[in-house]
Amino acid sequence: MTKKKAILFPKTEEMLRGFGENLRLARLRRNITAKLEAERAGISVATLAQIEKGSPAVSLGNYMQVLLTLGLEKDILMVAADDELGRKLQDAGLAVRARASKRSAK
């Protein structure tokens, strides 16, 4: 059975390529060879090459393993941490009471 290829918008592909390039540069700044990085992450050198190219076919788990071995795993926690738009949408959808609640008679 043939695998379905993810259809991505050009902007998304560009962002993945940038992410992969950032991972490659982080590895090179640490003077780690591709072979050693792949061994540490528990993936093949070919998979690492795909990650560094920003391939959408590679699982998020493999991307995370590379982040972990580079000491960058906490960076993923910053994704959607400051969801300004989501908070504004949530606030706009809050129900506003028409009147105050009744006071109990004394």
Side-chain angles (χ1 to χ4, degrees):
M1 188 170 229
T2 307
K3 257 186 166 180
K4 288 186 179 180
K5 184 178 177 191
I7 299 171
L8 302 176
F9 292 115
K11 183 69 174 173
T12 305
E13 289 177 341
E14 180 183 326
M15 291 168 58
L16 273 172
R17 280 193 300 274
F19 182 44
E21 179 65 13
N22 288 347
L23 291 174
R24 186 180 79 77
L25 292 173
R27 176 179 62 78
L28 292 174
R29 282 191 291 270
R30 289 162 175 73
N31 201 26
I32 299 172
T33 65
K35 182 178 179 184
L36 180 59
E37 177 63 26
E39 286 176 7
R40 288 179 177 176
I43 58 176
S44 69
V45 176
T47 299
L48 178 62
Q50 290 299 307
I51 288 171
E52 292 182 349
K53 289 178 185 175
S55 173
V58 179
S59 75
L60 181 59
N62 286 337
Y63 275 92
M64 285 300 301
Q65 282 300 110
V66 171
L67 285 168
L68 178 71
T69 59
L70 294 173
L72 300 171
E73 70 280 1
K74 291 189 179 175
D75 288 359
I76 199 78
L77 298 176
M78 297 178 72
V79 174
D82 185 27
D83 184 14
E84 188 176 330
L85 175 62
R87 283 196 310 275
K88 286 181 181 178
L89 291 170
Q90 182 182 26
D91 291 346
L94 292 177
V96 179
R97 296 177 64 133
R99 60 187 180 101
S101 58
K102 294 181 180 181
R103 292 184 132 178
S104 61
K106 287 188 180 180

